[in-house]
Amino acid sequence: MTTKAPSAVAEFPVESLEKVAYDSVATIPTQEPNDRNRLGFCVWAWLRDRKGTLEQAIQNSGSRTHISYSEVLSIVSKRLQERGINLQ
């Protein structure tokens, strides 16, 4: 039995909302990689719909981080603002 190489993964364009959201949480220390993915998804959903606040989106993600949610909010907010995203 032979094993084929995995399929190539297509990256999102640099300016897409998905890329911006997942890049904004890329350095957040989490217990498991999936926690970071879940956090990135919640940030993306907030950017798309703007329901509630960014803080609520971060808390609702349920991500297990090694830093407090207020520190996560500070890091994510800073990264989003660096990309030109208005947080209001």
Side-chain angles (χ1 to χ4, degrees):
M1 187 166 155
T2 62
T3 304
K4 293 182 179 181
S7 300
V9 175
E11 296 261 338
F12 287 107
V14 176
E15 294 302 318
S16 70
L17 252 132
E18 293 88 351
K19 186 75 169 169
V20 170
Y22 284 94
D23 282 351
S24 71
V25 301
T27 61
I28 303 293
T30 57
Q31 191 168 343
E32 295 179 16
N34 193 44
D35 289 319
R36 190 173 304 108
N37 292 338
R38 189 169 43 249
L39 180 60
F41 174 81
C42 288
V43 170
W44 168 76
W46 180 81
L47 286 171
R48 185 189 61 194
D49 298 331
R50 299 291 177 122
K51 292 182 181 174
T53 64
L54 180 58
E55 181 178 11
Q56 290 170 333
I58 290 170
Q59 289 178 346
N60 290 340
S61 73
S63 294
R64 298 166 292 178
T65 62
H66 296 293
I67 58 177
S68 69
Y69 280 132
S70 62
E71 290 175 284
V72 172
L73 176 62
S74 174
I75 292 168
V76 172
S77 297
K78 180 182 173 191
R79 297 243 168 79
L80 291 175
Q81 288 173 342
E82 287 171 356
R83 298 291 297 266
I85 304 292
N86 183 5
L87 301 179
Q88 299 302 324

